[in-house]
Amino acid sequence: MQIVIIGSGVAGVSFAEKYRSLSADDEITLVTREHDGYYSRPLLSRGFSKADIEQSIILKPFDKLRENNIDVLCGVEVTAINRADKTVAINGSCQEKELHYDKLILAQGSSAFIPPPFRPYEKLFFCLNSLVDLKALRKFRQGFLSQNQRPDWAIVGGGLIGCEVASDLAAAGDKVTLFHAMDRLMERQLVADDSALLLKVLQDSGVKVLLNQAVQEFIKEEDKVCVRTEVTAEFDGLIVACGFKPRTELAELAGLEIGRGIKVNQYLQTSDESIYALGDVAELPNGKLYAFILPIRNQALWLAEFLAGQKQDFWTPPFFTTKAKVHGFEAVHPYNV
Amino acid sequence: MPDYKRYQCSVCGHIYDEAEGDPDTGIAPGTLWKDIPDDWRCPECGAEKSEYALMA
């Protein structure tokens, strides 16, 4: 059997390794746009306070997967899924070809969600959704540090990632202003008391937190970028952290059923019986997308066992919780996940 | 034979079993949890050692 996996995050890699451990003979090909290996996505939020992060974030080089008889095609974009002849078309630096699959596993994850009003300004801001993004941010920041300056940052979005990044930049010694549209931080995951505690922790670390902010536009002013709310303030660097958007485009083009994510049944199977989806690109029948590492890895291990014939029961979400990586912050109450 | 324990990563669910160690990251079989260096990270998700909890 030929198994093709798209994506080299925790979903794709955990699946590939588990499936290989259960089946020595099937061909496993993992296709990814990444170059650097399997890296820890949660650690992106610690990308400024740790000097060696660009190396230490890599948990497994792709060669390590190859040693395990998993064929990894990296730096490659999948351009189409042809369901009729069960192939995916890929386009890499020096190769353009088709791969046959018996089972296709979609694990492309998500990109940063950019609210529509910000989309015209994409050249003015950074996101922090991948190692490529982190490297670009670190390079930009290094430009200031090498001149003995500290960048003055605006972060738009006071959800989990926005708070983590604000905290880490402040811990690294930069000046940070955090804009949030709602009246409290991380309102999706935290009870009001914990939001208030988080606010205090961030403020104590030097972050200027602005709540109830309707950010209207960004304006380029020479080497500064301005954030306009009711007033206009200027910054050196701008990071938009407004949530995630599952990468459903490829599945949609192939005619698979799409909601917010790629719709799957309780066996993680899409509307095409040969195609499965897992990780934060997959939308379960209960309407949920699982975006945290623990349930994603659980899905990946389950699917490998299921496809290897070792599990018959459908996937059920494990108990899990999460914890924001904000320096010095411990929530009192459980997170809403 | 010592009474080996198991610890679980709260971020990803990875289980460290003292009996098995984690040879891929240089931790020999039989290494007790307390003897693993503090800068060791979860081999699956990169979480810090402090994210692990003793399994019941």
Side-chain angles (χ1 to χ4, degrees):
Chain A
M1 184 156 78
Q2 289 179 302
I3 295 187
V4 173
I5 304 158
I6 306 176
S8 62
V10 61
V13 169
S14 300
F15 171 83
E17 292 190 313
K18 183 69 177 177
Y19 193 81
R20 175 53 79 220
S21 76
L22 299 172
S23 158
D25 301 329
D26 291 332
E27 278 180 45
I28 306 176
T29 305
L30 191 150
V31 185
T32 177
R33 57 157 64 158
E34 300 280 355
H35 293 270
D36 296 314
Y38 166 56
Y39 61 87
S40 165
R41 197 151 168 225
L43 279 182
L44 289 173
S45 300
R46 284 280 158 95
F48 305 102
S49 61
K50 287 184 184 295
D52 67 341
I53 189 79
E54 291 183 26
Q55 289 74 46
S56 63
I57 198 168
I58 309 282
L59 298 172
K60 281 167 201 171
F62 289 135
D63 277 343
K64 191 152 179 220
L65 299 178
R66 293 184 182 114
E67 282 167 20
N68 202 3
N69 197 17
I70 295 163
D71 191 15
V72 180
L73 305 178
C74 61
V76 166
E77 290 284 343
V78 175
T79 50
I81 300 167
N82 302 308
R83 291 164 56 195
D85 57 0
K86 290 196 177 182
T87 58
V88 293
I90 63 171
N91 198 342
S93 48
C94 55
Q95 49 188 347
E96 197 166 323
K97 61 174 184 176
E98 290 195 334
L99 294 174
H100 172 76
Y101 65 83
D102 294 301
K103 300 277 184 223
L104 177 64
I105 314 296
L106 303 177
Q108 304 111 305
S110 56
S111 43
F113 173 71
I114 308 299
F118 302 163
R119 287 176 197 165
Y121 309 104
E122 239 150 337
K123 287 200 166 60
L124 297 186
F125 59 82
F126 294 92
C127 295
L128 183 48
N129 188 62
S130 67
L131 186 50
V132 170
D133 293 341
L134 177 65
K135 285 181 172 176
L137 270 161
R138 285 175 58 88
K139 196 174 165 197
F140 174 81
R141 183 169 180 267
Q142 194 54 43
F144 288 83
L145 300 188
S146 62
Q147 296 178 47
N148 278 326
Q149 292 175 355
R150 289 283 176 179
D152 186 353
W153 295 96
I155 294 169
V156 177
L160 181 79
I161 301 294
C163 289
E164 289 183 341
V165 173
S167 166
D168 203 54
L169 283 167
D174 294 359
K175 202 174 160 203
V176 182
T177 303
L178 177 61
F179 292 84
H180 191 40
M182 311 302 283
D183 62 358
R184 62 186 184 91
L185 295 170
M186 279 182 65
E187 73 285 347
R188 287 189 188 199
Q189 293 93 1
L190 299 181
V191 301
D193 284 357
D194 281 328
S195 288
L197 181 62
L198 173 60
L199 174 66
K200 183 161 188 320
V201 168
L202 283 175
Q203 286 171 335
D204 288 349
S205 71
V207 177
K208 182 175 174 186
V209 181
L210 302 173
L211 299 172
N212 297 307
Q213 298 291 304
V215 174
Q216 322 226 330
E217 62 175 343
F218 307 132
I219 305 152
K220 180 89 182 143
E221 289 269 351
E222 293 176 15
D223 55 352
K224 299 277 183 182
V225 55
C226 300
V227 175
R228 188 165 78 81
T229 54
E230 285 169 0
V231 293
T232 300
E234 63 174 39
F235 300 91
D236 296 312
L238 176 57
I239 301 174
V240 171
C242 293
F244 68 98
K245 184 185 178 304
R247 294 195 180 102
T248 55
E249 299 82 358
L250 203 56
E252 195 170 5
L253 277 173
L256 298 178
E257 260 185 65
I258 304 294
R260 195 175 156 231
I262 301 168
K263 288 198 172 182
V264 294
N265 63 20
Q266 287 177 299
Y267 295 89
L268 306 181
Q269 191 177 39
T270 68
S271 53
D272 181 320
E273 62 174 17
S274 303
I275 305 179
Y276 293 77
L278 76 170
D280 56 358
V281 79
E283 179 179 333
L284 275 288
N286 62 5
K288 276 195 141 179
L289 289 81
Y290 292 87
F292 291 103
I293 298 288
L294 195 136
I296 292 175
R297 188 160 176 273
N298 187 274
Q299 284 181 342
L301 302 183
W302 177 88
L303 185 60
E305 291 183 310
F306 177 74
L307 291 181
Q310 301 202 347
K311 279 259 163 80
Q312 273 79 43
D313 288 344
F314 55 76
W315 181 74
T316 50
F319 171 78
F320 67 99
T321 181
T322 190
K323 203 166 98 180
K325 277 190 288 303
V326 169
H327 298 269
F329 172 65
E330 292 285 343
V332 176
H333 304 275
Y335 286 67
N336 177 19
V337 290
Chain B
M1 180 167 152
D3 184 14
Y4 288 126
K5 295 189 170 64
R6 304 198 317 154
Y7 292 79
Q8 186 166 30
C9 174
S10 64
V11 177
C12 77
H14 172 258
I15 293 169
Y16 176 78
D17 185 327
E18 291 178 334
E20 294 172 12
D22 192 64
D24 279 359
T25 56
I27 310 294
T31 303
L32 298 183
W33 184 248
K34 66 175 175 58
D35 296 329
I36 296 176
D38 285 341
D39 62 356
W40 181 81
R41 291 182 161 276
C42 170
E44 297 298 336
C45 77
E48 291 172 10
K49 194 181 162 188
S50 59
E51 301 281 1
Y52 278 75
L54 179 64
M55 293 177 78

